[in-house]
Amino acid sequence: MFKNASSLAVAALAATTLFSAVSIASAQEQVNLYSARHYQTDEGMYEAFTRTTGIKINRVDADDAGILARLKAEGAASPADVILLVDAARLASADAQGMFQPIKSKVLDTAIPANLRASPTADGVTWTGFSTRARVVVYDPARVKATDVDTYEKLADPKLKGLLCTRSGSHPYNLSLFSTVVERLGDAKGEEWLKGVVANMARAPKGGDTDQIKAVASGECGVALTNTYYVARLIKSDKIDDKAVMQKVKVMFPNQATTGTHVNIAGAAVAKHAKNTANAVKFMEFLSSPFAQDYFANGNNEFPASKGVTVNNPAIAAMGGANFKSETIPLGVVAKNQVKVQQMLDRVGYK
Ligand code: FE
C-alpha cells in the first residue's frame, strides 16, 4: 500500500509541477491529502466534497508514522496540502516538528470547540480535531467492582494489584491520557500515579487495545484501557468469538463524577509547504459540516467533534451513548506534557 501511495504522491507532485510550469489556467482545482485514516466510509465523504466544490482530492494513505517520515523526507518539495492523523499526541508532535501551518477560519472557530484544537496564536490555529474517541476502562465484573474502576486515579490503587493490562505506555493513546492525568494531579502525584499503575500490571504491556479487551475476557487481566471505537467494533462484529468477549466484559467511562472521561481526536492540519492552501482550508471546513461529520465520526464509531452534531450509531448507543461527561483539558496541553510524561514512564519502568 505504501508503495502505491508513494507513486501516487510522485504523480501528484509531477502534475503540480507541470501545471505551474505551463500555467494552465483551466487546470482542475485540487487538494493533496495525506491520510492516516483508511475507512471505506470516508470515500463517500470525499466524493461529496469534489461534487460540491469541483476540487479533486489526490489521496495518499499511510499510517501515522509513515506519513510523518514521508513529510520529513519530502521537505519543502512535499505536495501535501492537508494531513489527517489520529491522536492529539501525534498531531502535537508533527506540529512541534514544524510540519503544519496556522490557518484562520471563522467556520472552524464556530464549529469546533477550542479544547479540541491546537492552542491559537496570532497567526491562527494549526491542527483541528474532527472526531473524538474516549479512552475508557474495560473490566471483568466477576473479578472487579465497578466502584473500584470508576476513575483513572483508582487504576493505581493496590486493590487492583495483578489485574491491570494496557498496551505500551509510550503509545500515543496512553501518552495523551497520562499527559492529562499529570496535568490534573501535578508532576509529583502524577508520577506517583504512574508508579502505582505499573505496580498493578497483570503482565508487561503488549498488543493493541483490542488485545487488552480480549485479555480481560479470557481472564488474563481484570481491568484494561481501550479507546471506545475498539469496543464498538467488537459490539458490531458478527464473529461468535467477539460476541463472547463482549458478554464477559463491562465498559466504564471513568471520572464521570469528577473531571470527565479523557477524549482524544482524529484531526487534520494544513501542511507547512501546502501549494493549494485555499483548497486545503475549504476541505478542513467541509470536514466540520454535519454531513462530513456523520461520515468521519460514524465510519470509525467515533463521536462528532462539531458542536451540536449527533450521529445515530447503535454500537455507541449500546455503550451508553455519546452524552457522557468529557474531560475539558485542552488537548494542546498534551503537547506540553508529552516529553515530561515519557521521561516519567522511563523512570517508573512503564514499558
Ligand atoms: Fe486506533
Side-chain angles (χ1 to χ4, degrees), residues 110-258:
T110 308
I112 310 289
N115 67 310
L116 302 181
R117 305 183 74 192
S119 308
T121 64
D123 297 326
V125 177
T126 50
W127 49 265
T128 297
F130 289 108
S131 63
T132 66
R133 61 276 294 282
R135 196 137 185 81
V136 294
V137 164
V138 165
Y139 65 101
D140 176 355
R143 299 170 72 189
V144 176
K145 279 193 285 185
T147 49
D148 288 338
V149 290
D150 59 4
T151 69
Y152 297 112
E153 285 80 349
K154 288 180 184 176
L155 296 181
D157 192 301
K159 258 188 198 168
L160 299 180
K161 198 163 184 66
L163 288 170
L164 182 63
C165 287
T166 74
R167 73 194 305 162
S168 165
S170 305
H171 188 277
Y173 299 164
N174 283 335
L175 261 191
S176 291
L177 166 65
F178 301 161
S179 288
T180 62
V181 174
V182 166
E183 182 67 18
R184 281 194 284 110
L185 301 182
D187 290 2
K189 279 190 176 161
E191 186 162 339
E192 206 49 46
W193 178 77
L194 284 169
K195 210 185 238 176
V197 167
V198 171
N200 283 342
M201 293 286 181
R203 62 178 188 189
K206 65 170 181 181
D209 283 0
T210 304
D211 298 312
Q212 316 309 318
I213 305 171
K214 289 181 174 171
V216 172
S218 76
E220 189 179 0
C221 321
V223 186
L225 281 169
T226 179
N227 282 353
T228 37
Y229 55 90
Y230 293 110
V231 179
R233 260 182 225 171
L234 290 172
I235 291 174
K236 282 185 171 174
S237 173
D238 293 329
K239 290 186 192 153
I240 289 171
D241 291 357
D242 292 343
K243 287 183 189 302
V245 164
M246 288 317 299
Q247 264 159 16
K248 284 245 176 171
V249 306
K250 282 199 168 225
V251 180
M252 169 67 71
F253 282 68
N255 294 41
Q256 285 304 288
T258 57

Side-chain angles (χ1 to χ4, degrees), residues 85-98:
L85 297 174
V86 291
D87 201 281
R90 289 190 179 116
L91 286 159
S93 146
D95 198 8
Q97 294 173 64

